[in-house]
Amino acid sequence: MEIKVLKNVLDKNKDQAEENRNLLDEHNVKMLNFISSPGAGKTSLLEQTIPELQKTMKVAVIEGDAYTSRDAERLQKFGIPIVQINTEGACHLDSNSIRNAFRQLDLQSLDVILVENVGNLICPTGFDLGEGYCIAVLSTTEGDDKPSKYPMLFRKAKAVVLNKMDLLSYTSFEKDNFVKDIYELNPQVQLFETSATQGTGTGEWNTWLNRMLSV
Ligand SMILES: Nc1nc2c(ncn2[C@@H]2O[C@H](COP(=O)(O)OP(=O)(O)O)[C@@H](O)[C@H]2O)c(=O)[nH]1
Ligand SMILES: [Mg+2]
C-alpha cells in the first residue's frame, strides 16, 4: 500500500513535469535545474552566470528554499524576474510548485529559467520539474566520494560544476578519483572547475552554457 502511494506521487509529478515541458516548448523557453548539497555554491554560481546570460537572453530565476528568501534577495541586484518557492521544510521542489511559479512569470518574454533547487543531493533528483537539463554542483570541501555515494544525480546531470577550487589544497579531495567516478557514471557529462566567489573557471562554464542554450 505504501509503495503504491509513493508511486502515485511520482507518477503525478511526472505527468505535471511533462505538461511543464510542453508549456516551455510552446514558449520556446529553456529551463535548467541546479542541484547540490546546501552550501556547495549554487547561488554563487548563479551570481556569476546571470550577468553573462543577460547579455543575450531574457533570464528568470525560480528559487527553491525550505524557509527563506535569502538567495532570491542575493539575486535581486540583476533586476530579473525571480519567483521564490518556500517548501516549508520539504527537501525538494516538485513539478506542481514549478507550474505555480510559471503563473508568476511572463513565459512569452523569457528565453531561460534557472531553477535553484533545495539543497540536497538525493530528493531533488527523483522529482522531474520539466527542465531541459539538470546541472549538478559539487564543492571540493564535500569530498571526492560524493558522486559514487549519490550516483543518481551525477548520472542524470548534463554538466557537473566542481566548485570551491580555490580551497582544493586545504582539503583531502582527490580530483583524479572524482573525475574517474564521474566519467564512469556519466561518460557524456560536461565537467567544469570553478571558484564561484573568485570568478575563476566560470568563463568556460558560461561559454558552454551560452552555446548550449542558443541551439
Ligand atoms: N572559498 C569559496 N567559497 C565559496 C565558493 N562558492 C561559494 N562559496 C561560499 O560558500 C557558501 C555557500 O555558497 P552558496 O552560493 O550560498 O551555496 P548554495 O547553498 O549552494 O547556494 C557561501 O559562504 C559562499 O560565499 C567558492 O568557489 N570558493
Ligand atoms: Mg543557494
Side-chain angles (χ1 to χ4, degrees):
M1 187 60 181
E2 265 176 79
I3 290 172
K4 191 163 183 285
V5 171
L6 177 63
K7 189 172 183 309
N8 284 346
V9 169
L10 290 175
D11 281 352
K12 216 168 147 211
N13 185 74
K14 186 81 197 152
D15 291 347
Q16 180 62 60
E18 283 312 321
E19 279 182 33
N20 291 353
R21 199 165 274 121
N22 291 338
L23 197 60
L24 291 168
D25 282 351
E26 264 170 46
H27 292 90
N28 209 14
V29 180
K30 304 224 166 72
M31 187 165 85
L32 299 175
N33 182 6
F34 287 74
I35 301 179
S36 82
S37 53
K42 296 179 296 304
T43 313
S44 304
L45 185 66
L46 291 182
E47 287 178 296
Q48 295 288 337
T49 304
I50 292 165
E52 287 305 311
L53 291 182
Q54 269 184 311
K55 289 178 185 166
T56 53
M57 295 173 207
K58 293 282 181 216
V59 185
V61 169
I62 298 176
E63 269 295 341
D65 196 272
Y67 296 108
T68 79
S69 303
R70 289 191 177 204
D71 292 349
E73 285 158 23
R74 280 167 66 184
L75 302 180
Q76 261 177 348
K77 60 191 171 212
F78 298 114
I80 57 173
I82 304 175
V83 182
Q84 177 69 54
I85 301 173
N86 284 135
T87 61
E88 303 297 333
C91 55
H92 60 86
L93 293 173
D94 62 25
S95 54
N96 194 47
S97 60
I98 293 293
R99 177 68 184 99
N100 289 335
F102 285 171
R103 294 192 173 96
Q104 311 291 317
L105 294 169
D106 175 14
L107 292 182
Q108 197 56 47
S109 70
L110 294 175
D111 298 307
V112 58
I113 300 175
L114 308 174
V115 180
E116 177 172 348
N117 216 310
V118 180
N120 189 310
L121 283 178
I122 298 179
C123 309
T125 313
F127 284 79
D128 185 4
L129 305 180
E131 73 270 19
Y133 296 116
C134 151
I135 310 293
V137 182
L138 185 78
S139 57
T140 56
T141 50
E142 292 170 78
D144 55 70
D145 57 350
K146 294 306 169 291
S148 50
K149 288 182 76 170
Y150 303 94
M152 265 168 64
L153 170 61
F154 295 94
R155 266 195 207 109
K156 168 177 170 167
K158 178 78 172 172
V160 174
V161 179
L162 178 61
N163 191 38
K164 305 197 186 181
M165 285 302 289
D166 54 303
L167 300 181
L168 184 67
S169 60
Y170 301 101
T171 72
S172 56
F173 191 96
E174 294 285 346
K175 210 175 79 182
D176 290 350
N177 294 346
F178 162 80
V179 171
K180 184 172 152 291
D181 287 349
I182 285 281
Y183 284 126
E184 263 175 31
L185 289 167
N186 186 346
Q188 311 299 331
V189 77
Q190 296 287 325
L191 202 50
F192 299 95
E193 298 176 8
T194 62
S195 169
T197 43
Q198 299 192 346
T200 50
T202 50
E204 288 88 343
W205 152 254
N206 280 321
T207 302
W208 173 80
L209 190 61
N210 243 294
R211 204 177 316 124
M212 216 249 312
L213 291 172
S214 304
V215 291

PDB file of all heavy atoms in Angstrom, residues 42-43 63 71 74 116, ligand 2:
ATOM      1  N   LYS A  42      25.567  26.970  -5.341  1.00  0.00           N
ATOM      2  CA  LYS A  42      24.581  27.184  -6.424  1.00  0.00           C
ATOM      3  C   LYS A  42      24.302  28.672  -6.629  1.00  0.00           C
ATOM      4  O   LYS A  42      24.355  29.176  -7.743  1.00  0.00           O
ATOM      5  CB  LYS A  42      23.247  26.473  -6.103  1.00  0.00           C
ATOM      6  CG  LYS A  42      23.333  24.969  -6.016  1.00  0.00           C
ATOM      7  CD  LYS A  42      21.996  24.338  -5.682  1.00  0.00           C
ATOM      8  CE  LYS A  42      21.445  24.701  -4.304  1.00  0.00           C
ATOM      9  NZ  LYS A  42      22.323  24.414  -3.163  1.00  0.00           N
ATOM     10  N   THR A  43      23.977  29.363  -5.533  1.00  0.00           N
ATOM     11  CA  THR A  43      23.635  30.787  -5.680  1.00  0.00           C
ATOM     12  C   THR A  43      24.859  31.573  -6.144  1.00  0.00           C
ATOM     13  O   THR A  43      24.738  32.464  -6.995  1.00  0.00           O
ATOM     14  CB  THR A  43      23.091  31.356  -4.352  1.00  0.00           C
ATOM     15  OG1 THR A  43      22.129  30.463  -3.819  1.00  0.00           O
ATOM     16  CG2 THR A  43      22.439  32.709  -4.556  1.00  0.00           C
ATOM     17  N   GLU A  63      13.565  30.241  -7.293  1.00  0.00           N
ATOM     18  CA  GLU A  63      14.386  29.903  -6.135  1.00  0.00           C
ATOM     19  C   GLU A  63      13.639  28.942  -5.222  1.00  0.00           C
ATOM     20  O   GLU A  63      12.565  29.277  -4.723  1.00  0.00           O
ATOM     21  CB  GLU A  63      14.708  31.178  -5.337  1.00  0.00           C
ATOM     22  CG  GLU A  63      15.976  31.875  -5.750  1.00  0.00           C
ATOM     23  CD  GLU A  63      17.230  31.047  -5.478  1.00  0.00           C
ATOM     24  OE1 GLU A  63      17.167  30.112  -4.662  1.00  0.00           O
ATOM     25  OE2 GLU A  63      18.255  31.334  -6.106  1.00  0.00           O
ATOM     26  N   ASP A  71      18.358  33.701  -0.850  1.00  0.00           N
ATOM     27  CA  ASP A  71      19.041  33.577  -2.146  1.00  0.00           C
ATOM     28  C   ASP A  71      18.405  34.505  -3.173  1.00  0.00           C
ATOM     29  O   ASP A  71      19.100  35.147  -3.959  1.00  0.00           O
ATOM     30  CB  ASP A  71      19.008  32.128  -2.642  1.00  0.00           C
ATOM     31  CG  ASP A  71      19.868  31.215  -1.773  1.00  0.00           C
ATOM     32  OD1 ASP A  71      20.630  31.734  -0.941  1.00  0.00           O
ATOM     33  OD2 ASP A  71      19.772  29.981  -1.936  1.00  0.00           O
ATOM     34  N   ARG A  74      19.719  37.844  -2.749  1.00  0.00           N
ATOM     35  CA  ARG A  74      21.070  37.990  -3.311  1.00  0.00           C
ATOM     36  C   ARG A  74      21.029  38.240  -4.822  1.00  0.00           C
ATOM     37  O   ARG A  74      21.943  38.855  -5.379  1.00  0.00           O
ATOM     38  CB  ARG A  74      21.898  36.724  -3.041  1.00  0.00           C
ATOM     39  CG  ARG A  74      22.462  36.678  -1.636  1.00  0.00           C
ATOM     40  CD  ARG A  74      22.999  35.301  -1.298  1.00  0.00           C
ATOM     41  NE  ARG A  74      24.164  34.898  -2.090  1.00  0.00           N
ATOM     42  CZ  ARG A  74      24.726  33.685  -1.987  1.00  0.00           C
ATOM     43  NH1 ARG A  74      24.220  32.788  -1.165  1.00  0.00           N
ATOM     44  NH2 ARG A  74      25.779  33.388  -2.712  1.00  0.00           N
ATOM     45  N   GLU A 116      16.960  27.113  -8.909  1.00  0.00           N
ATOM     46  CA  GLU A 116      17.841  26.653  -7.836  1.00  0.00           C
ATOM     47  C   GLU A 116      17.015  25.770  -6.924  1.00  0.00           C
ATOM     48  O   GLU A 116      16.095  26.234  -6.247  1.00  0.00           O
ATOM     49  CB  GLU A 116      18.449  27.822  -7.046  1.00  0.00           C
ATOM     50  CG  GLU A 116      19.312  27.282  -5.894  1.00  0.00           C
ATOM     51  CD  GLU A 116      20.130  28.319  -5.137  1.00  0.00           C
ATOM     52  OE1 GLU A 116      20.252  29.473  -5.604  1.00  0.00           O
ATOM     53  OE2 GLU A 116      20.653  27.955  -4.067  1.00  0.00           O
TER      54      GLU A 116
HETATM   55 MG    MG B   2      21.588  28.944  -2.531  1.00  0.00          MG
END
